[in-house]
Amino acid sequence: MPAEPAGEALPGGLRRVARVVLLDPRDRILLLHGHEPDDPADDWWFTPGGGLEGDETREQAALRELAEETGITGVDLGPVLWRRQCSFPFAGRRWDQDEWYYLARTTRTATAATALTELERRSVDGARWWTWTELAGAHETVYPTRLAGLLRLLLDEGPRPGP
């Protein structure tokens, strides 16, 4: 799963990450397409977001990352939908992350990366809006791995009181 080196770590070395579950007016979710920098065949889809920088809050990081990776600004963040800790190999190292997923909605569906890091330029190659049905039937790798089921629950029941 693509990640840039920035991002303050929690005690124990967990990198603090804010991600955005961005929905359009048709309830499609925006996912970015990424791959290992030196192996485009090792690919996956993931939500916009990344590590906190300096004294940023998670909310500030989520909005900054969304703007940098998609060009989409002017969204209001909703609640934290989900939290997860994950560990994965990427770009020759292991990443240990504490990820918070924020809900956001937009009417804008055109995307354009505006400020990718060097690593992101080598490993992110596009974005796509997915319906729940497309996501549920996808044969591609998607992170988080249970995203289709989580999205269906969100669309059916709305956000839960807590992550």
Side-chain angles (χ1 to χ4, degrees):
M1 182 170 187
E4 63 285 347
E8 299 296 319
L10 293 169
L14 285 176
R15 181 172 176 257
R16 295 185 306 153
V17 171
R19 298 205 163 277
V20 180
V21 175
L22 187 64
L23 302 178
D24 74 359
R26 295 175 26 205
D27 285 336
R28 297 180 304 171
I29 186 172
L30 182 66
L31 297 179
L32 303 179
H33 186 239
H35 57 82
E36 274 292 330
D38 297 323
D39 185 4
D42 185 1
D43 68 330
W44 52 84
W45 293 89
F46 63 103
T47 58
L52 278 65
E53 295 180 356
D55 61 356
E56 274 185 322
T57 66
R58 288 201 196 243
E59 294 85 356
Q60 290 167 331
L63 293 171
R64 176 186 49 77
E65 288 283 342
L66 183 64
E68 291 174 357
E69 294 174 349
T70 71
I72 296 175
T73 59
V75 301
D76 292 323
L77 286 183
V80 175
L81 297 171
W82 316 308
R83 290 181 60 180
R84 79 171 185 153
Q85 290 185 357
C86 59
S87 181
F88 53 90
F90 174 69
R93 65 166 278 206
R94 176 144 301 277
W95 299 81
D96 299 310
Q97 300 191 155
D98 178 47
E99 299 182 341
W100 292 22
Y101 289 76
Y102 289 88
L103 175 62
R105 289 198 171 266
T106 185
T107 57
R108 185 173 157 203
T109 57
T111 62
T114 61
L116 298 180
T117 66
E118 185 274 332
L119 181 56
E120 289 170 329
R121 284 191 298 278
R122 293 177 32 225
S123 62
V124 178
D125 63 4
R128 175 181 162 198
W129 292 95
W130 295 71
T131 65
W132 172 81
T133 305
E134 291 168 335
L135 195 56
H139 296 290
E140 294 95 341
T141 301
V142 176
Y143 294 110
T145 55
R146 298 182 319 136
L147 184 58
L150 292 167
L151 180 60
R152 178 76 264 161
L153 191 61
L154 172 65
L155 295 175
D156 286 347
E157 300 180 9
R160 298 202 171 192

